[in-house]
Amino acid sequence: MDEKLIQRLESAVVRLEALSTRFPAAASPGDASDVPDSAALDPSIVAYDDLMAQYLARVSAAAEKIGGQVLDVTKVLHEAFSVQKQLLIKVKQSQKPDLAGLAEFLKPLNEVIMKATLMTEGRRSDFFNHLKAAADSLSALAWIAFTGKDCGMSMPIAHVEESWQMAEFYSNKVLVEYRNKDPNHVEWAKSLKELYLPGLRDYVKGFYPLGPVWSATGKSIAPTKAAAAPPPPPPPASLFSSESSQPSSSKPKDGMSAVFQQLSTGNVTAGLRKVTDDMKTKNRADRTGAVAISEKESRVASHAFSKVGPPKLELQMGRKWVVENQIGKKDLIIEDCDAKQSVYVYGCKDSILHIQGKVNNITIDKCTKMGVVFKDVVAAFEIVNCNGVEVQCQGSAPTISVDNTSGCQLYLSKDSLETSISTAKSSEINVLVPGAEPAGDWVEHSLPQQYIHMFKDGCFETTPASHSGG
């Protein structure tokens, strides 16, 4: 055997042993003992081990210094890459499956991705951007599902690049937030990007530019037979589903298709019951539709208690102002604040908050008809999962981001006209800036929410869609 290959294998074994002691739970599914020697020595598998040892180890090392949720999501990231290694080995031992078999093949990877996605749900944590960047980046591993040009996916190399673009939105937020605060977070975000670009992209380019190469003589992959009891419904965010493999004719018709099918039979009144006199409303003794007051109040009270927590406006640990569940409050004020503190507004409705001082960053999450007036922020102002919010910046803000929000009015002062505004999955965003004259009216600008993508000179050019009325 070539001496260079032996040296690469020995170095890879040493690095993998170090990783296995650091992340003992990431070895599933399948043990290294279950992998045949021929598959473990395959150049593509050896190169994948080098990818994990070179790039993934840097992400893990930075995560250990940070700890907490960042370490937890990094462990899931490590597990996902380990699962893909097992799938790459299985590709070399299996024939190309059909859609149902492909869904069964991808099931272990899909379960790990779902585990990472669940970590981003619920109440936003201080490390939400880390969790979101890691979870969104895992969609790049779905390149292994590419089965041809007609499968509805981009080519594997392009898929990896496009998937990272989704995660980079949150990775950049980590870089901005911790640029001058903690180098470990900056190292984590940079090493996460290098794991995919150039790490995974170059690996796919070198070994699987046209997708996985299945074995012509291997075993076939068949979907698991359903148990006697009906299984629970699949999670809504599942990446892959075998439902499309079922022919449409075998599915029972519902909705308007069922109506038209019934009309085509000609006997549309068959099976209808005759309405007797005692069924008519005018002859019923219990005609009233009023609900008892006590019953109605108890249901409303229980619903409100289960959905809304107690209102809060407090400084926690001397670092974070928390404003939660404020409803109909027009006089919320935060006065004693400094540039090291952050402000988090959650679950407020029909309220107005004044922040009278410079803070590090401000986040508005799941608020409706909320108004915020602030002076200066050091890092960023974020609006997430909101509906109908108004924000006025009286000083400066380097970055304003709007994510998954419907209806947003931004008022910028003269000192904040150079603010960078980023939007994602949002609509009805208007930005108002001061007029040319000191006492002039505000000038309103609407940010585009529709875009036109045209393929020119080997790449796509994106321009905002413009509409003109006659």
Side-chain angles (χ1 to χ4, degrees):
M1 186 180 294
D2 190 6
E3 293 183 0
K4 292 184 179 180
L5 180 59
I6 295 176
Q7 293 176 356
R8 289 179 63 191
L9 287 173
E10 290 176 349
S11 62
V13 168
V14 172
R15 285 177 289 186
L16 286 174
E17 287 177 349
L19 287 173
S20 63
T21 57
R22 184 179 301 162
F23 295 98
S28 62
D31 265 330
S33 59
D34 298 333
V35 180
D37 294 338
S38 59
L41 297 178
D42 187 274
S44 64
I45 304 301
V46 174
Y48 192 85
D49 289 336
D50 290 341
L51 166 70
M52 295 179 63
Q54 179 180 355
Y55 293 102
L56 190 56
R58 283 186 55 199
V59 186
S60 303
E64 284 190 333
K65 296 177 181 178
I66 300 171
Q69 291 181 314
V70 179
L71 180 60
D72 294 338
V73 78
T74 305
K75 289 182 179 180
V76 178
L77 183 78
H78 192 281
E79 182 181 356
F81 272 80
S82 299
V83 168
Q84 178 150 100
K85 176 186 174 182
Q86 301 300 324
L87 296 183
L88 289 172
I89 295 174
K90 192 173 182 179
V91 164
K92 299 183 176 298
Q93 303 168 349
S94 307
Q95 299 180 16
K96 185 176 181 179
D98 55 10
L99 285 177
L102 182 63
E104 181 67 23
F105 170 77
L106 296 169
K107 186 177 179 181
L109 179 61
N110 191 31
E111 290 176 349
V112 181
I113 294 177
M114 285 299 303
K115 186 189 301 184
T117 303
L118 289 175
M119 296 180 68
T120 66
E121 297 178 355
R123 181 176 173 180
R124 258 173 86 117
S125 70
D126 293 337
F127 304 106
F128 174 79
N129 293 326
H130 300 73
L131 302 178
K132 194 69 174 172
D136 287 359
S137 70
L138 289 179
S139 61
L141 300 181
W143 69 266
I144 199 172
F146 184 83
T147 56
K149 294 182 178 180
D150 299 330
C151 70
M153 289 179 57
S154 301
M155 296 292 288
I157 300 174
H159 176 81
V160 173
E161 294 174 343
E162 293 167 0
S163 299
W164 171 251
Q165 289 177 3
M166 296 188 298
E168 192 171 22
F169 177 79
Y170 297 96
S171 176
N172 287 341
K173 288 186 176 182
V174 176
L175 293 174
V176 171
E177 182 178 357
Y178 292 93
R179 181 171 46 197
N180 300 320
K181 292 169 55 177
D182 192 336
N184 293 325
H185 292 265
V186 176
E187 169 65 17
W188 184 89
K190 289 182 177 179
S191 59
L192 181 67
K193 179 177 181 178
E194 293 176 3
L195 173 63
Y196 294 96
L197 303 179
L200 183 62
R201 179 194 61 191
D202 290 353
Y203 172 79
V204 174
K205 182 178 180 180
F207 293 94
Y208 303 102
L210 302 178
V213 181
W214 300 87
S215 172
T217 59
K219 57 184 179 180
S220 59
I221 301 176
T224 306
K225 294 182 179 180
S238 178
L239 284 178
F240 308 103
S241 174
S242 60
E243 184 180 356
S244 59
S245 63
Q246 300 178 2
S248 59
S249 60
S250 64
K251 299 178 181 179
K253 295 184 177 181
D254 53 2
M256 293 306 298
S257 298
V259 173
F260 287 121
Q261 183 179 11
Q262 183 71 15
L263 290 174
S264 64
T265 60
N267 189 11
V268 296
T269 59
L272 296 181
R273 296 176 57 188
K274 181 176 178 59
V275 179
T276 59
D277 289 338
D278 60 325
M279 294 181 181
K280 296 179 180 180
T281 305
K282 64 180 182 179
N283 297 329
R284 292 179 57 181
D286 55 343
R287 290 181 57 185
T288 177
V291 181
I293 296 179
S294 59
E295 178 185 356
K296 182 177 180 180
E297 289 180 349
S298 63
R299 288 191 306 191
V300 172
S302 62
H303 177 75
F305 179 78
S306 61
K307 293 294 183 181
V308 181
K312 291 183 181 179
L313 200 165
E314 61 187 16
L315 179 62
Q316 296 181 352
M317 306 296 291
R319 297 292 299 273
K320 181 178 180 180
W321 285 94
V322 175
V323 184
E324 292 185 356
N325 306 316
Q326 301 286 348
I327 299 177
K329 301 292 185 179
K330 308 291 186 180
D331 55 351
L332 302 173
I333 298 176
I334 295 178
E335 293 180 337
D336 300 328
C337 51
D338 57 54
K340 295 182 180 180
Q341 296 173 347
S342 62
V343 179
Y344 179 66
V345 185
Y346 176 83
C348 297
K349 182 177 180 181
D350 195 23
S351 301
I352 299 177
L353 172 65
H354 292 264
I355 304 173
Q356 300 178 348
K358 178 184 288 188
V359 293
N360 185 271
N361 69 288
I362 304 172
T363 301
I364 307 178
D365 187 9
K366 291 184 180 179
C367 294
T368 303
K369 296 182 180 180
M370 182 69 186
V372 177
V373 181
F374 70 97
K375 288 189 176 180
D376 302 286
V377 293
V378 178
F381 189 102
E382 301 176 84
I383 305 170
V384 187
N385 304 322
C386 293
N387 186 8
V389 297
E390 295 188 17
V391 176
Q392 182 175 359
C393 177
Q394 297 177 333
S396 62
T399 303
I400 297 178
S401 63
V402 185
D403 188 9
N404 195 26
T405 294
S406 175
C408 178
Q409 295 266 32
L410 300 176
Y411 295 83
L412 302 182
S413 65
K414 290 185 177 180
D415 296 334
S416 59
L417 293 181
E418 297 182 358
T419 297
S420 173
I421 302 176
S422 61
T423 63
K425 297 186 294 184
S426 300
S427 61
E428 303 174 28
I429 303 176
N430 297 318
V431 182
L432 293 92
V433 298
E437 300 180 359
D441 296 333
W442 291 84
V443 181
E444 185 174 7
H445 301 270
S446 60
L447 300 187
Q449 63 189 57
Q450 293 180 337
Y451 300 89
I452 299 174
H453 312 277
M454 298 189 67
F455 190 76
K456 292 182 180 180
D457 301 329
C459 63
F460 277 97
E461 294 183 358
T462 301
T463 56
S466 61
H467 303 276
S468 60

